[in-house]
């Protein structure tokens, strides 16, 4: 039986972020009910929201999961916690941020979880790796690729750090 296809966003700007990303995907892949199927390239991006902080690394990954959306959210939060994530400032610096962006075709609106993630279409650092994995994904009646074109000035500030081989099933 196949599971649900989910897409997560990875972000971070404290410590060895690439190591945190690899650690994060390894943990998700080690969960018996989840596997990582693909990763996007890796980008260095200027901080969004709260600009006085170091650049971020960002990427997206595609998962196949048999967890419910809320179970997956708890797993993501426990992996963030393992990487010493402190939950303080809203758009502040962080070691490892794992955001649930997409869960199949589902639209979810609860206290602690909104899917698709409400800020996807405003953030080139999410749209670019997402559009790499799934360019035709429809968000608010337009494709991910279309939304990215609207944010082309933001997109131009993103620097490619690595192709999609930074994470490989070992
Ligand atoms: N995450 C934030 C706030 N600002 N900026 C970039 N470039 N990348 C992020 O992942 C990011 C951010 C809080 O989640
Ligand atoms: Mg985030
Ligand atoms: Mg988050």
């Amino acid at each position: 039986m196949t599971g649900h296809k989910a897409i997560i966003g990875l972000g971070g700007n404290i410590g060895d972020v690439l190591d945190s990303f690899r650690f994060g995907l390894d943990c998700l892949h080690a969960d018996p009910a989840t596997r990582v199927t693909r990763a996007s390239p890796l980008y260095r991006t200027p901080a969004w929201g709260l600009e006085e902080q170091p650049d971020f690394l960002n990427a997206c990954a595609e998962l196949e999961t048999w967890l419910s959306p809320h179970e997956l959210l708890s797993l993501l939060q426990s992996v963030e916690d393992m990487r010493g994530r402190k939950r303080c400032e809203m758009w502040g610096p962080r070691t490892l941020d794992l955001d649930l962006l997409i869960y199949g075709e589902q639209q979810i609106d609860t206290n602690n979880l909104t899917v698709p993630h409400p800020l996807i279409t405003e953030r080139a650092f999410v749209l670019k790796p997402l559009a790499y994995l799934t360019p035709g994904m429809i968000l608010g009646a337009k494709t991910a690729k279309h939304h990215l074109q609207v944010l082309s000035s933001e997109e131009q500030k993103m620097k490619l750090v690595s192709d999609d081989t930074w994470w490989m099933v070992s």
Side-chain angles (χ1 to χ4, degrees), residues 54-95:
D55 287 352
F56 278 76
L57 287 186
N58 284 110
C60 285
E62 182 190 80
L63 312 178
E64 183 179 19
T65 187
W66 286 261
L67 299 175
S68 72
H70 281 89
E71 286 168 342
L72 179 58
L73 178 67
S74 306
L75 174 64
L76 296 175
Q77 288 173 344
S78 69
V79 175
E80 289 175 346
D81 291 343
M82 281 190 261
R83 211 60 193 181
R85 166 79 183 271
K86 309 258 181 320
R87 287 165 209 292
C88 28
E89 211 172 2
M90 174 136 156
W91 284 324
R94 51 203 65 204
T95 50

mmCIF file of all heavy atoms in Angstrom, residues 54-95:
data_model
loop_
_atom_site.group_PDB
_atom_site.id
_atom_site.type_symbol
_atom_site.label_atom_id
_atom_site.label_comp_id
_atom_site.label_asym_id
_atom_site.label_seq_id
_atom_site.Cartn_x
_atom_site.Cartn_y
_atom_site.Cartn_z
ATOM 1 N N PRO A 54 21.736 36.121 10.349
ATOM 2 C CA PRO A 54 22.518 35.498 9.267
ATOM 3 C C PRO A 54 21.629 34.896 8.189
ATOM 4 O O PRO A 54 20.463 34.557 8.440
ATOM 5 C CB PRO A 54 23.297 34.393 9.993
ATOM 6 C CG PRO A 54 23.259 34.743 11.444
ATOM 7 C CD PRO A 54 22.016 35.535 11.668
ATOM 8 N N ASP A 55 22.197 34.745 6.980
ATOM 9 C CA ASP A 55 21.508 34.040 5.893
ATOM 10 C C ASP A 55 21.075 32.644 6.348
ATOM 11 O O ASP A 55 21.700 32.044 7.218
ATOM 12 C CB ASP A 55 22.463 33.845 4.704
ATOM 13 C CG ASP A 55 22.719 35.139 3.945
ATOM 14 O OD1 ASP A 55 22.049 36.152 4.228
ATOM 15 O OD2 ASP A 55 23.602 35.117 3.069
ATOM 16 N N PHE A 56 20.064 32.139 5.698
ATOM 17 C CA PHE A 56 19.575 30.778 5.956
ATOM 18 C C PHE A 56 20.064 29.822 4.876
ATOM 19 O O PHE A 56 20.393 30.234 3.758
ATOM 20 C CB PHE A 56 18.047 30.756 5.924
ATOM 21 C CG PHE A 56 17.374 31.205 7.197
ATOM 22 C CD1 PHE A 56 17.320 32.550 7.527
ATOM 23 C CD2 PHE A 56 16.775 30.295 8.060
ATOM 24 C CE1 PHE A 56 16.692 32.980 8.696
ATOM 25 C CE2 PHE A 56 16.149 30.707 9.223
ATOM 26 C CZ PHE A 56 16.105 32.053 9.540
ATOM 27 N N LEU A 57 20.071 28.548 5.202
ATOM 28 C CA LEU A 57 20.046 27.514 4.172
ATOM 29 C C LEU A 57 18.605 27.033 4.088
ATOM 30 O O LEU A 57 17.915 26.927 5.108
ATOM 31 C CB LEU A 57 20.959 26.330 4.521
ATOM 32 C CG LEU A 57 22.461 26.530 4.415
ATOM 33 C CD1 LEU A 57 23.172 25.202 4.665
ATOM 34 C CD2 LEU A 57 22.867 27.091 3.060
ATOM 35 N N ASN A 58 18.148 26.756 2.869
ATOM 36 C CA ASN A 58 16.788 26.243 2.670
ATOM 37 C C ASN A 58 16.769 25.143 1.617
ATOM 38 O O ASN A 58 17.566 25.140 0.674
ATOM 39 C CB ASN A 58 15.837 27.367 2.228
ATOM 40 C CG ASN A 58 15.445 28.291 3.361
ATOM 41 O OD1 ASN A 58 15.846 29.451 3.415
ATOM 42 N ND2 ASN A 58 14.662 27.788 4.299
ATOM 43 N N ALA A 59 15.838 24.236 1.795
ATOM 44 C CA ALA A 59 15.594 23.156 0.830
ATOM 45 C C ALA A 59 14.191 22.623 1.110
ATOM 46 O O ALA A 59 13.546 23.015 2.095
ATOM 47 C CB ALA A 59 16.618 22.041 0.998
ATOM 48 N N CYS A 60 13.713 21.750 0.236
ATOM 49 C CA CYS A 60 12.471 21.014 0.491
ATOM 50 C C CYS A 60 12.753 19.528 0.304
ATOM 51 O O CYS A 60 13.697 19.162 -0.407
ATOM 52 C CB CYS A 60 11.364 21.415 -0.481
ATOM 53 S SG CYS A 60 10.614 23.011 -0.136
ATOM 54 N N ALA A 61 11.932 18.708 0.925
ATOM 55 C CA ALA A 61 12.040 17.264 0.717
ATOM 56 C C ALA A 61 10.648 16.678 0.562
ATOM 57 O O ALA A 61 9.672 17.193 1.133
ATOM 58 C CB ALA A 61 12.765 16.606 1.878
ATOM 59 N N GLU A 62 10.588 15.626 -0.235
ATOM 60 C CA GLU A 62 9.326 14.908 -0.455
ATOM 61 C C GLU A 62 9.365 13.637 0.390
ATOM 62 O O GLU A 62 10.367 12.926 0.396
ATOM 63 C CB GLU A 62 9.219 14.561 -1.936
ATOM 64 C CG GLU A 62 7.943 13.849 -2.309
ATOM 65 C CD GLU A 62 8.045 13.335 -3.747
ATOM 66 O OE1 GLU A 62 8.675 12.276 -3.958
ATOM 67 O OE2 GLU A 62 7.511 13.999 -4.642
ATOM 68 N N LEU A 63 8.267 13.381 1.090
ATOM 69 C CA LEU A 63 8.172 12.198 1.941
ATOM 70 C C LEU A 63 7.043 11.315 1.464
ATOM 71 O O LEU A 63 6.054 11.803 0.901
ATOM 72 C CB LEU A 63 7.840 12.595 3.393
ATOM 73 C CG LEU A 63 8.644 13.726 4.043
ATOM 74 C CD1 LEU A 63 8.104 13.976 5.461
ATOM 75 C CD2 LEU A 63 10.119 13.374 4.096
ATOM 76 N N GLU A 64 7.174 10.030 1.741
ATOM 77 C CA GLU A 64 6.015 9.138 1.690
ATOM 78 C C GLU A 64 5.757 8.739 3.132
ATOM 79 O O GLU A 64 6.680 8.253 3.812
ATOM 80 C CB GLU A 64 6.314 7.914 0.831
ATOM 81 C CG GLU A 64 5.078 7.026 0.708
ATOM 82 C CD GLU A 64 5.289 5.788 -0.158
ATOM 83 O OE1 GLU A 64 6.458 5.406 -0.376
ATOM 84 O OE2 GLU A 64 4.285 5.204 -0.587
ATOM 85 N N THR A 65 4.556 8.984 3.618
ATOM 86 C CA THR A 65 4.305 8.741 5.044
ATOM 87 C C THR A 65 2.971 8.053 5.267
ATOM 88 O O THR A 65 2.006 8.270 4.529
ATOM 89 C CB THR A 65 4.379 10.062 5.846
ATOM 90 O OG1 THR A 65 4.287 9.766 7.236
ATOM 91 C CG2 THR A 65 3.277 11.033 5.464
ATOM 92 N N TRP A 66 2.971 7.246 6.306
ATOM 93 C CA TRP A 66 1.744 6.572 6.737
ATOM 94 C C TRP A 66 1.234 7.214 8.031
ATOM 95 O O TRP A 66 0.295 6.745 8.638
ATOM 96 C CB TRP A 66 2.019 5.070 6.919
ATOM 97 C CG TRP A 66 2.143 4.358 5.606
ATOM 98 C CD1 TRP A 66 1.171 3.631 4.972
ATOM 99 C CD2 TRP A 66 3.294 4.308 4.739
ATOM 100 N NE1 TRP A 66 1.640 3.146 3.772
ATOM 101 C CE2 TRP A 66 2.944 3.541 3.599
ATOM 102 C CE3 TRP A 66 4.582 4.841 4.804
ATOM 103 C CZ2 TRP A 66 3.831 3.293 2.554
ATOM 104 C CZ3 TRP A 66 5.467 4.597 3.777
ATOM 105 C CH2 TRP A 66 5.093 3.825 2.658
ATOM 106 N N LEU A 67 1.899 8.297 8.446
ATOM 107 C CA LEU A 67 1.453 9.051 9.626
ATOM 108 C C LEU A 67 0.343 10.006 9.221
ATOM 109 O O LEU A 67 0.302 10.468 8.068
ATOM 110 C CB LEU A 67 2.616 9.870 10.198
ATOM 111 C CG LEU A 67 3.843 9.103 10.688
ATOM 112 C CD1 LEU A 67 4.942 10.074 11.113
ATOM 113 C CD2 LEU A 67 3.460 8.179 11.837
ATOM 114 N N SER A 68 -0.521 10.353 10.170
ATOM 115 C CA SER A 68 -1.516 11.404 9.912
ATOM 116 C C SER A 68 -0.774 12.750 9.893
ATOM 117 O O SER A 68 0.360 12.843 10.367
ATOM 118 C CB SER A 68 -2.559 11.413 11.027
ATOM 119 O OG SER A 68 -1.971 11.925 12.206
ATOM 120 N N PRO A 69 -1.424 13.806 9.379
ATOM 121 C CA PRO A 69 -0.752 15.116 9.377
ATOM 122 C C PRO A 69 -0.287 15.539 10.775
ATOM 123 O O PRO A 69 0.828 16.039 10.926
ATOM 124 C CB PRO A 69 -1.828 16.063 8.838
ATOM 125 C CG PRO A 69 -2.719 15.192 8.009
ATOM 126 C CD PRO A 69 -2.718 13.845 8.676
ATOM 127 N N HIS A 70 -1.122 15.352 11.793
ATOM 128 C CA HIS A 70 -0.716 15.775 13.141
ATOM 129 C C HIS A 70 0.384 14.881 13.708
ATOM 130 O O HIS A 70 1.256 15.359 14.445
ATOM 131 C CB HIS A 70 -1.929 15.859 14.078
ATOM 132 C CG HIS A 70 -2.723 17.120 13.873
ATOM 133 N ND1 HIS A 70 -3.750 17.208 12.953
ATOM 134 C CD2 HIS A 70 -2.602 18.357 14.419
ATOM 135 C CE1 HIS A 70 -4.231 18.453 12.963
ATOM 136 N NE2 HIS A 70 -3.555 19.159 13.839
ATOM 137 N N GLU A 71 0.345 13.600 13.366
ATOM 138 C CA GLU A 71 1.446 12.721 13.805
ATOM 139 C C GLU A 71 2.758 13.135 13.136
ATOM 140 O O GLU A 71 3.809 13.141 13.770
ATOM 141 C CB GLU A 71 1.145 11.252 13.451
ATOM 142 C CG GLU A 71 0.085 10.621 14.333
ATOM 143 C CD GLU A 71 -0.413 9.277 13.777
ATOM 144 O OE1 GLU A 71 -0.212 8.987 12.566
ATOM 145 O OE2 GLU A 71 -1.020 8.530 14.558
ATOM 146 N N LEU A 72 2.667 13.484 11.847
ATOM 147 C CA LEU A 72 3.874 13.924 11.138
ATOM 148 C C LEU A 72 4.395 15.230 11.744
ATOM 149 O O LEU A 72 5.598 15.392 11.952
ATOM 150 C CB LEU A 72 3.571 14.085 9.640
ATOM 151 C CG LEU A 72 4.725 14.562 8.767
ATOM 152 C CD1 LEU A 72 5.938 13.629 8.862
ATOM 153 C CD2 LEU A 72 4.276 14.678 7.301
ATOM 154 N N LEU A 73 3.483 16.148 12.062
ATOM 155 C CA LEU A 73 3.882 17.410 12.695
ATOM 156 C C LEU A 73 4.635 17.134 14.001
ATOM 157 O O LEU A 73 5.681 17.735 14.261
ATOM 158 C CB LEU A 73 2.642 18.275 12.957
ATOM 159 C CG LEU A 73 2.916 19.603 13.672
ATOM 160 C CD1 LEU A 73 3.723 20.543 12.770
ATOM 161 C CD2 LEU A 73 1.611 20.275 14.090
ATOM 162 N N SER A 74 4.118 16.206 14.826
ATOM 163 C CA SER A 74 4.808 15.882 16.092
ATOM 164 C C SER A 74 6.183 15.304 15.831
ATOM 165 O O SER A 74 7.137 15.626 16.542
ATOM 166 C CB SER A 74 4.048 14.837 16.913
ATOM 167 O OG SER A 74 2.776 15.231 17.112
ATOM 168 N N LEU A 75 6.290 14.447 14.809
ATOM 169 C CA LEU A 75 7.595 13.878 14.472
ATOM 170 C C LEU A 75 8.560 14.999 14.064
ATOM 171 O O LEU A 75 9.704 15.045 14.528
ATOM 172 C CB LEU A 75 7.443 12.835 13.353
ATOM 173 C CG LEU A 75 8.737 12.253 12.794
ATOM 174 C CD1 LEU A 75 9.491 11.468 13.877
ATOM 175 C CD2 LEU A 75 8.453 11.330 11.596
ATOM 176 N N LEU A 76 8.095 15.924 13.227
ATOM 177 C CA LEU A 76 8.954 17.025 12.778
ATOM 178 C C LEU A 76 9.428 17.843 13.985
ATOM 179 O O LEU A 76 10.603 18.199 14.090
ATOM 180 C CB LEU A 76 8.209 17.928 11.786
ATOM 181 C CG LEU A 76 7.787 17.286 10.460
ATOM 182 C CD1 LEU A 76 6.958 18.271 9.627
ATOM 183 C CD2 LEU A 76 8.984 16.814 9.650
ATOM 184 N N GLN A 77 8.499 18.101 14.917
ATOM 185 C CA GLN A 77 8.867 18.917 16.083
ATOM 186 C C GLN A 77 9.846 18.176 16.978
ATOM 187 O O GLN A 77 10.777 18.786 17.528
ATOM 188 C CB GLN A 77 7.608 19.340 16.853
ATOM 189 C CG GLN A 77 6.846 20.403 16.060
ATOM 190 C CD GLN A 77 5.500 20.779 16.655
ATOM 191 O OE1 GLN A 77 4.968 20.060 17.512
ATOM 192 N NE2 GLN A 77 4.937 21.875 16.185
ATOM 193 N N SER A 78 9.682 16.845 17.100
ATOM 194 C CA SER A 78 10.626 16.109 17.953
ATOM 195 C C SER A 78 12.015 16.081 17.323
ATOM 196 O O SER A 78 13.017 16.154 18.025
ATOM 197 C CB SER A 78 10.103 14.704 18.279
ATOM 198 O OG SER A 78 10.126 13.916 17.118
ATOM 199 N N VAL A 79 12.084 16.024 15.993
ATOM 200 C CA VAL A 79 13.398 16.067 15.331
ATOM 201 C C VAL A 79 14.030 17.456 15.510
ATOM 202 O O VAL A 79 15.225 17.573 15.798
ATOM 203 C CB VAL A 79 13.273 15.682 13.835
ATOM 204 C CG1 VAL A 79 14.607 15.855 13.125
ATOM 205 C CG2 VAL A 79 12.762 14.250 13.681
ATOM 206 N N GLU A 80 13.223 18.518 15.382
ATOM 207 C CA GLU A 80 13.744 19.875 15.643
ATOM 208 C C GLU A 80 14.308 19.959 17.066
ATOM 209 O O GLU A 80 15.388 20.502 17.287
ATOM 210 C CB GLU A 80 12.629 20.921 15.505
ATOM 211 C CG GLU A 80 12.154 21.168 14.092
ATOM 212 C CD GLU A 80 10.961 22.135 14.041
ATOM 213 O OE1 GLU A 80 10.328 22.409 15.099
ATOM 214 O OE2 GLU A 80 10.648 22.611 12.942
ATOM 215 N N ASP A 81 13.570 19.399 18.018
ATOM 216 C CA ASP A 81 14.004 19.448 19.427
ATOM 217 C C ASP A 81 15.320 18.703 19.621
ATOM 218 O O ASP A 81 16.180 19.141 20.379
ATOM 219 C CB ASP A 81 12.929 18.856 20.347
ATOM 220 C CG ASP A 81 11.694 19.741 20.400
ATOM 221 O OD1 ASP A 81 11.796 20.918 20.014
ATOM 222 O OD2 ASP A 81 10.628 19.247 20.805
ATOM 223 N N MET A 82 15.487 17.582 18.919
ATOM 224 C CA MET A 82 16.735 16.816 19.036
ATOM 225 C C MET A 82 17.924 17.641 18.577
ATOM 226 O O MET A 82 19.045 17.395 18.973
ATOM 227 C CB MET A 82 16.671 15.544 18.199
ATOM 228 C CG MET A 82 15.883 14.436 18.850
ATOM 229 S SD MET A 82 16.138 12.932 17.902
ATOM 230 C CE MET A 82 14.681 12.900 16.918
ATOM 231 N N ARG A 83 17.666 18.585 17.708
ATOM 232 C CA ARG A 83 18.744 19.430 17.191
ATOM 233 C C ARG A 83 18.864 20.701 18.034
ATOM 234 O O ARG A 83 19.435 21.700 17.601
ATOM 235 C CB ARG A 83 18.432 19.756 15.725
ATOM 236 C CG ARG A 83 19.639 19.946 14.874
ATOM 237 C CD ARG A 83 20.541 18.741 14.806
ATOM 238 N NE ARG A 83 21.804 19.135 14.222
ATOM 239 C CZ ARG A 83 22.833 18.347 13.995
ATOM 240 N NH1 ARG A 83 22.756 17.067 14.307
ATOM 241 N NH2 ARG A 83 23.923 18.805 13.467
ATOM 242 N N GLY A 84 18.282 20.662 19.230
ATOM 243 C CA GLY A 84 18.448 21.774 20.168
ATOM 244 C C GLY A 84 17.668 23.009 19.793
ATOM 245 O O GLY A 84 18.020 24.121 20.173
ATOM 246 N N ARG A 85 16.590 22.835 19.074
ATOM 247 C CA ARG A 85 15.779 23.981 18.641
ATOM 248 C C ARG A 85 15.094 24.640 19.823
ATOM 249 O O ARG A 85 14.439 23.967 20.614
ATOM 250 C CB ARG A 85 14.740 23.465 17.631
ATOM 251 C CG ARG A 85 13.607 24.397 17.315
ATOM 252 C CD ARG A 85 13.996 25.474 16.324
ATOM 253 N NE ARG A 85 12.852 26.351 16.138
ATOM 254 C CZ ARG A 85 11.904 26.152 15.233
ATOM 255 N NH1 ARG A 85 11.977 25.126 14.404
ATOM 256 N NH2 ARG A 85 10.879 26.974 15.127
ATOM 257 N N LYS A 86 15.270 25.954 19.938
ATOM 258 C CA LYS A 86 14.571 26.732 20.971
ATOM 259 C C LYS A 86 13.422 27.465 20.291
ATOM 260 O O LYS A 86 13.614 28.048 19.231
ATOM 261 C CB LYS A 86 15.512 27.778 21.590
ATOM 262 C CG LYS A 86 16.847 27.225 22.075
ATOM 263 C CD LYS A 86 16.844 27.054 23.566
ATOM 264 C CE LYS A 86 18.149 26.540 24.134
ATOM 265 N NZ LYS A 86 18.840 25.499 23.371
ATOM 266 N N ARG A 87 12.252 27.416 20.901
ATOM 267 C CA ARG A 87 11.115 28.117 20.304
ATOM 268 C C ARG A 87 10.956 29.479 20.972
ATOM 269 O O ARG A 87 10.370 29.580 22.026
ATOM 270 C CB ARG A 87 9.844 27.292 20.512
ATOM 271 C CG ARG A 87 9.816 26.095 19.627
ATOM 272 C CD ARG A 87 8.800 25.045 19.988
ATOM 273 N NE ARG A 87 9.337 23.781 19.558
ATOM 274 C CZ ARG A 87 9.502 23.445 18.280
ATOM 275 N NH1 ARG A 87 9.116 24.262 17.328
ATOM 276 N NH2 ARG A 87 10.031 22.286 17.976
ATOM 277 N N CYS A 88 11.517 30.520 20.380
ATOM 278 C CA CYS A 88 11.341 31.842 20.992
ATOM 279 C C CYS A 88 10.842 32.841 19.963
ATOM 280 O O CYS A 88 9.653 32.882 19.668
ATOM 281 C CB CYS A 88 12.588 32.307 21.722
ATOM 282 S SG CYS A 88 14.137 31.676 21.109
ATOM 283 N N GLU A 89 11.745 33.576 19.355
ATOM 284 C CA GLU A 89 11.329 34.657 18.469
ATOM 285 C C GLU A 89 10.655 34.121 17.209
ATOM 286 O O GLU A 89 11.147 33.180 16.595
ATOM 287 C CB GLU A 89 12.576 35.445 18.075
ATOM 288 C CG GLU A 89 12.311 36.882 17.836
ATOM 289 C CD GLU A 89 13.624 37.639 17.641
ATOM 290 O OE1 GLU A 89 14.691 37.031 17.653
ATOM 291 O OE2 GLU A 89 13.531 38.853 17.458
ATOM 292 N N MET A 90 9.574 34.759 16.785
ATOM 293 C CA MET A 90 8.754 34.267 15.680
ATOM 294 C C MET A 90 9.540 34.023 14.389
ATOM 295 O O MET A 90 9.472 32.951 13.838
ATOM 296 C CB MET A 90 7.641 35.267 15.409
ATOM 297 C CG MET A 90 6.817 34.929 14.212
ATOM 298 S SD MET A 90 5.107 35.167 14.605
ATOM 299 C CE MET A 90 4.390 35.422 13.034
ATOM 300 N N TRP A 91 10.249 35.013 13.886
ATOM 301 C CA TRP A 91 10.986 34.794 12.642
ATOM 302 C C TRP A 91 12.491 34.815 12.885
ATOM 303 O O TRP A 91 13.274 35.137 12.006
ATOM 304 C CB TRP A 91 10.569 35.821 11.580
ATOM 305 C CG TRP A 91 9.234 35.491 10.987
ATOM 306 C CD1 TRP A 91 8.749 34.230 10.726
ATOM 307 C CD2 TRP A 91 8.201 36.392 10.604
ATOM 308 N NE1 TRP A 91 7.483 34.312 10.206
ATOM 309 C CE2 TRP A 91 7.125 35.625 10.107
ATOM 310 C CE3 TRP A 91 8.092 37.779 10.612
ATOM 311 C CZ2 TRP A 91 5.951 36.197 9.635
ATOM 312 C CZ3 TRP A 91 6.913 38.353 10.141
ATOM 313 C CH2 TRP A 91 5.861 37.569 9.660
ATOM 314 N N GLY A 92 12.873 34.477 14.133
ATOM 315 C CA GLY A 92 14.264 34.592 14.545
ATOM 316 C C GLY A 92 15.128 33.427 14.097
ATOM 317 O O GLY A 92 14.664 32.495 13.435
ATOM 318 N N PRO A 93 16.432 33.497 14.449
ATOM 319 C CA PRO A 93 17.382 32.466 14.054
ATOM 320 C C PRO A 93 17.057 31.100 14.650
ATOM 321 O O PRO A 93 16.463 31.016 15.729
ATOM 322 C CB PRO A 93 18.727 32.985 14.602
ATOM 323 C CG PRO A 93 18.423 34.123 15.488
ATOM 324 C CD PRO A 93 17.033 34.579 15.228
ATOM 325 N N ARG A 94 17.451 30.045 13.959
ATOM 326 C CA ARG A 94 17.148 28.690 14.420
ATOM 327 C C ARG A 94 18.129 27.672 13.849
ATOM 328 O O ARG A 94 18.704 27.885 12.782
ATOM 329 C CB ARG A 94 15.705 28.320 14.045
ATOM 330 C CG ARG A 94 15.387 28.570 12.586
ATOM 331 C CD ARG A 94 13.888 28.744 12.351
ATOM 332 N NE ARG A 94 13.362 29.934 12.997
ATOM 333 C CZ ARG A 94 12.087 30.100 13.345
ATOM 334 N NH1 ARG A 94 11.196 29.165 13.093
ATOM 335 N NH2 ARG A 94 11.689 31.196 13.930
ATOM 336 N N THR A 95 18.302 26.581 14.593
ATOM 337 C CA THR A 95 19.199 25.503 14.152
ATOM 338 C C THR A 95 18.565 24.684 13.035
ATOM 339 O O THR A 95 19.195 24.392 12.025
ATOM 340 C CB THR A 95 19.500 24.552 15.320
ATOM 341 O OG1 THR A 95 18.255 24.186 15.932
ATOM 342 C CG2 THR A 95 20.411 25.195 16.351
#
